[in-house]
Amino acid sequence: MRMAFQIAVSLLLAAPAHADTLFERLGGMDMITRISERTIDIAAADPLIGPHWEESNLVRVKAKLAEQICELSGGPCKYSGNDMVQVHKPFKFTNADFNRLVENLQQAMDESGVDHATQNRLLALLAPMQREIVTR
Amino acid sequence: MKSTMRRFACMLSAVAFPVCFGVSPALGNDNAKPLFDRGKLLATGGVSQVEGAGGAGLTTWALIGGYGSDHGLGLTAHGTLVPLDDFTFRSAGLALGVFDRLELSYSRQWFDTGGTGAALGLGEDFTFGQDIFGAKLRVAGDAVYDQDRWLPQIAIGLQHKRAKQGAILAAVGASHDTGTDFYLAATKIFLKHSLLANATVRFTKANQFGLLGFGGADDGYDATFEGSLAWLVTDHWVAGVDYRTKPDNLAFAREEDAMAAYVAWFPSKHVSVTVGYADLGEIALQDNQQGLYLSLQMGF
């Protein structure tokens, strides 16, 4: 009994203090960069929304998405991209387009082994951007 | 023009014409997109609840059923089987989601008394039944996008129910064999916690959902409550519990609250399977009616 208690205490003390920040749960900047790049690659190849990206600089889009996810999840970044409303306006995105991009992101996170509770924590932060991105 | 006509044809028919499902390669032109666009996220239309509306198990949610986005339509068909201790409940129906704003549904219910029918003097396999015509309108909020607001998605709706076996219903003391329920539903998805919560207030005279008619010794509308709590386990699996209060109008038999617990699996936007356990309480003098809850939904 006493030994079990000691083991429990040592396990609790061994747990890193900030293991619960979303940035760390996602796997830090390396993993966020990988997820962002993969998301945009999947989206660009997606027959439903791919054509939207034809004229875009995908390298820049990937970098700005990574920056944004990093900042939102509590990482050491600051989004330096264009105004979200202005940059998305010409695309006339619909809810269906927005949702398709969410599905592409879910696929990228699945492939990177991000658990679903963590995926949903990130999606909860991204979901309100629908109001900036969807214009019709 | 051609695509406008195709869209119009789809609207008029509101049934599964293959022409409505073709994925068009052309983008940037809204008319070229299929009307049945499957543009909502997986599971965000819920499944078919017991009366055929979008929801789950016993509760009606504020979500619009199916996967049509705000520019599309979504059609679902369901079949539900609940083998209870002394009865068997079955239902089948269709629901159409229009622009993620309006939901129209039709459902047929059968309540087979089996061997209990003979004991009740109704005859073996005597079957109660009803047709349910539903309409639901989303009036505020968005359960998915409003993650930074407290406002839930809110919908108002009605279910017009036309029960069979009117003579028997009159004999057991029901005042009417038709009735209309009105409800106000609020659904909130707490994505940060992978949870969904729903609360619905229903104004109804229905006895056992309407299968035993409407009104009785008490013929007024009752305000009843339907609550759900669901855990979004993954994007393909949802586990939930429901609780639903019911009126107790008939003099001959007691009516109790109902509850259910279930797991719903969404392998794709075309199909979902719900397996659970329902406890409907005492029905027609037979106490403790429990059983499996099985429901299959197909979507277009």
Side-chain angles (χ1 to χ4, degrees), chain B residues 11 13-14 24 33 49 51 74 83 87 99 106 117-118 136 138 144 152 167 187 220 255 270 287 296:
Chain B
M11 292 276 286
S13 62
S24 169
K33 290 188 180 182
Q49 57 85 250
E51 283 134 327
F87 307 101
F99 304 141
Y106 167 74
K136 183 199 291 180
R138 178 162 70 88
V144 177
T187 306
E255 181 163 349
H270 292 295
D287 67 0
L296 173 71

Side-chain angles (χ1 to χ4, degrees), chain B:
Chain B
M1 186 60 197
K2 205 169 150 192
S3 55
T4 308
M5 281 182 66
R6 186 188 64 175
R7 168 179 275 230
F8 189 60
C10 295
M11 292 276 286
L12 273 183
S13 62
V15 290
F17 268 128
V19 68
C20 308
F21 299 102
V23 175
S24 169
L27 276 163
N29 171 8
D30 184 45
N31 289 335
K33 290 188 180 182
L35 194 50
F36 288 77
D37 64 357
R38 297 191 290 280
K40 283 163 68 175
L41 292 168
L42 199 60
T44 58
V47 296
S48 304
Q49 57 85 250
V50 68
E51 283 134 327
L58 305 170
T59 53
T60 315
W61 291 355
L63 306 179
I64 301 297
Y67 290 104
S69 78
D70 56 345
H71 289 68
L73 305 181
L75 184 70
T76 57
H78 84 274
T80 297
L81 173 67
V82 188
L84 298 164
D85 293 302
D86 297 297
F87 307 101
T88 303
F89 172 92
R90 293 184 190 83
S91 78
L94 293 169
L96 179 71
V98 181
F99 304 141
D100 199 24
R101 173 66 61 183
L102 176 70
E103 177 190 285
L104 301 171
S105 60
Y106 167 74
S107 190
R108 176 80 165 89
Q109 294 180 337
W110 296 267
F111 191 72
D112 189 338
T113 60
T116 312
L120 289 168
L122 297 166
E124 189 165 334
D125 288 328
F126 179 89
T127 301
F128 292 97
Q130 64 175 338
D131 292 306
I132 303 173
F133 302 88
K136 183 199 291 180
L137 183 70
R138 178 162 70 88
V139 292
D142 189 293
V144 177
Y145 301 132
D146 289 344
Q147 294 300 317
D148 54 346
R149 297 173 178 169
W150 273 100
L151 182 72
Q153 181 162 327
I154 297 170
I156 53 172
L158 61 83
Q159 288 173 345
H160 179 64
K161 302 175 172 181
R162 306 185 72 85
K164 313 291 178 188
Q165 313 286 7
I168 299 292
L169 299 180
V172 301
S175 304
H176 318 275
D177 60 1
T178 65
T180 304
D181 295 354
F182 302 91
Y183 62 85
L184 174 71
T187 306
K188 184 81 196 166
I189 296 176
F190 300 95
L191 207 45
K192 186 181 176 187
H193 304 290
S194 296
L195 289 175
L196 177 150
N198 178 83
T200 300
V201 179
R202 177 188 295 263
F203 300 91
T204 181
K205 292 184 179 186
N207 308 320
Q208 301 293 358
F209 307 100
L211 289 160
L212 297 187
F214 305 84
D218 172 1
D219 192 30
Y221 268 96
D222 281 338
T224 61
F225 172 78
E226 291 159 40
S228 291
L229 193 61
W231 175 34
L232 315 174
V233 186
T234 74
D235 45 356
H236 294 281
W237 289 88
V238 177
V241 291
D242 292 339
Y243 192 90
R244 176 164 172 169
T245 71
K246 296 189 289 174
D248 186 13
N249 299 325
L250 292 175
F252 94 101
R254 195 162 60 110
E255 181 163 349
E256 296 180 304
D257 296 349
M259 59 198 89
Y262 46 84
V263 173
W265 175 46
F266 300 83
S268 79
K269 290 181 185 176
H270 292 295
V271 63
S272 73
V273 180
T274 305
V275 178
Y277 174 80
D279 180 349
L280 303 184
E282 182 174 320
I283 301 176
L285 303 173
Q286 313 302 306
D287 67 0
N288 219 11
Q289 294 301 309
Q290 304 174 6
L292 274 179
Y293 182 102
L294 306 167
S295 187
L296 173 71
Q297 189 194 70
M298 308 289 285
F300 306 99

Side-chain angles (χ1 to χ4, degrees), chain A residues 48 51 95 97 99 103 120 131, chain B residues 39 70 145-146 148 194 269:
Chain A
L48 289 176
N95 279 333
D97 295 329
N99 291 344
E103 289 167 353
N120 285 343
R131 295 193 285 266
Chain B
D70 56 345
Y145 301 132
D146 289 344
D148 54 346
S194 296
K269 290 181 185 176

